Amino acid sequence: MDTEAVRTFVLAAEVGQFQHAADELGVTQQAVSKRIAALERELEARLFTRTARGVELTIDGQAFLPHARGIVTGVERAINAIRPDTRALRIDVLGFRSGQAVVLHDYWRAHPGIGLDVVTLKAGDPHVAVAAIRAGDVDASFRTVTDPAALPRDLEMAHVIDFPLELLVGPRHPLASARTLTPAQLRRHRIWVPGIAPRSEWADFYDQLATAFDLRIDGAGPNFGVEALLETLAESADVATFVGSRDRLVWPTTYGLRRVPVVNPTIAYPQSLIFPRTNPHPGLRAIIDYFRGLAAPPEPAWVPSWPTPRRAVHRPAQAGSVSSLE
């Protein structure tokens, strides 16, 4: 089957006119008509009927369209598999305010000529991102499969950096005046992280963190978004939350919120990048090197059980490890 004819059919179906399809493809209307006619002969079915406004799909054309789109997408993925450098690097991040996105933005500003497409899959389960990578929808994802055995063999997961966590509190909170806080000082205080998604990496992270330091981490209640959380913190005298040190958060000055670093040990959230093991996008290496070139968290640092911290010597800790960074 002529894949160019299939592509032409899909475009004509979407725009509703052969002339518009011809303009998009940079060919003549006659060429479009010939491609469609050849495809109809091969399929032994009529795909379009002519109307006063252009063309409409027949019943056979409607049945063929979703499969034709799959053919076009498959061809594009096949081409990208052997020539990934011809398109922008597409990376999935947890959110556009996350430290991942902030660092990627810094990288792009330092290298404005690169092709970079940053997206967010809006899924808690990292296996959704794994499926998107394997399908070719994204080139890489800043997600973590906390059980390495569950990662498909055709994918690789690189630990690229650890982001320190900070406690975010309102002005009436008893810890608001602290310059720094230790995990021990957080005990008995309610740390609210609403909407912890089951099977997510952060659900595993907070479970291990709560166990390691006997913290009261509350994931109850619906997640109405960052703005609602910030408003709650501003009004509360007993609720706090964790945020990444590189997360980009903005709130009205009247809120009076404070970000307080956690030290001795620093609580570090590991950041991993998942990508194809063979033939990854050529732009990935520079991204990984850029992240790994950033400063490591202050020592000592606690991390959960799954990553191997960079330049770190492990000391055992309950449900995780405390590392003394070199």
Side-chain angles (χ1 to χ4, degrees):
M1 183 175 291
D2 184 355
T3 57
E4 198 58 39
V6 176
R7 184 189 303 276
T8 302
F9 162 75
V10 170
L11 185 57
E14 291 174 346
V15 300
Q17 289 190 4
F18 283 3
Q19 183 59 61
H20 289 172
D23 293 341
E24 290 283 342
L25 295 169
V27 298
T28 64
Q29 181 177 341
Q30 184 180 17
V32 169
S33 297
K34 287 183 177 180
R35 290 178 185 177
I36 299 298
L39 186 60
E40 289 178 328
R41 286 195 299 272
E42 183 172 1
L43 295 173
E44 298 181 352
R46 191 176 182 186
L47 301 175
F48 289 104
T49 58
R50 291 190 178 274
T51 69
R53 296 183 177 180
V55 292
E56 291 182 353
L57 289 171
T58 63
I59 293 177
D60 287 333
Q62 294 174 29
F64 181 59
L65 180 59
H67 303 287
R69 284 180 172 143
I71 292 171
V72 172
T73 300
V75 170
E76 291 175 348
R77 288 173 179 167
I79 293 172
N80 289 338
I82 60 174
R83 294 188 305 183
D85 56 327
T86 62
R87 57 179 172 77
L89 169 62
R90 197 172 204 215
I91 299 183
D92 162 56
V93 296
L94 290 176
F96 294 122
R97 300 185 187 188
S98 69
Q100 304 161 348
V102 171
V103 174
L104 280 175
H105 186 219
D106 292 341
Y107 176 81
W108 177 80
R109 289 195 301 176
H111 307 83
I114 67 166
L116 183 62
D117 186 12
V118 180
V119 302
T120 179
L121 295 176
K122 298 293 184 184
D125 189 343
H127 292 92
V128 173
V130 165
I133 297 169
R134 301 183 83 186
D137 296 331
V138 295
D139 297 299
S141 175
F142 275 102
R143 311 276 173 151
T144 297
V145 176
T146 58
D147 178 8
L151 186 71
R153 293 187 177 183
D154 58 332
L155 299 183
E156 183 173 344
M157 186 170 67
H159 177 209
V160 295
I161 194 173
D162 298 320
F163 286 161
L165 294 191
E166 299 172 333
L167 192 74
L168 183 63
V169 296
R172 296 193 296 128
H173 195 279
L175 300 179
S177 61
R179 296 176 62 88
T180 60
L181 291 164
T182 66
Q185 291 174 301
L186 302 182
R187 291 174 185 157
R188 298 183 300 279
H189 290 281
R190 181 189 177 199
I191 301 172
W192 190 38
V193 186
I196 296 179
R199 298 183 300 277
S200 66
E201 64 187 77
W202 52 92
D204 197 355
F205 175 87
Y206 283 119
D207 280 346
Q208 293 193 29
L209 180 63
T211 300
F213 297 106
D214 191 24
L215 300 184
R216 182 187 169 198
I217 297 177
D218 181 7
N223 182 7
F224 288 106
V226 174
E227 284 76 13
L229 175 60
L230 297 177
E231 183 179 6
T232 298
L233 294 174
E235 297 172 350
S236 175
D238 63 356
V239 177
T241 194
F242 279 126
V243 295
S245 62
R246 292 181 181 269
D247 291 349
R248 182 183 288 121
L249 298 175
V250 180
W251 54 80
T253 56
T254 55
Y255 281 14
L257 301 184
R258 288 208 54 208
R259 302 174 72 142
V260 185
V262 180
V263 299
N264 295 322
T266 299
I267 297 174
Y269 193 105
Q271 306 289 327
S272 298
L273 193 63
I274 303 175
F275 52 91
R277 186 174 295 277
T278 59
N279 200 34
H281 193 288
L284 270 176
R285 173 47 56 190
I287 295 287
I288 292 173
D289 290 345
Y290 183 82
F291 270 78
R292 286 181 169 171
L294 298 175
E299 58 179 55
W302 178 92
V303 293
S305 61
W306 61 82
T308 303
R310 301 172 300 143
R311 304 182 303 279
V313 177
H314 291 331
R315 297 192 186 100
Q318 188 176 5
S321 63
V322 175
S323 60
S324 177
L325 304 180
E326 294 177 350

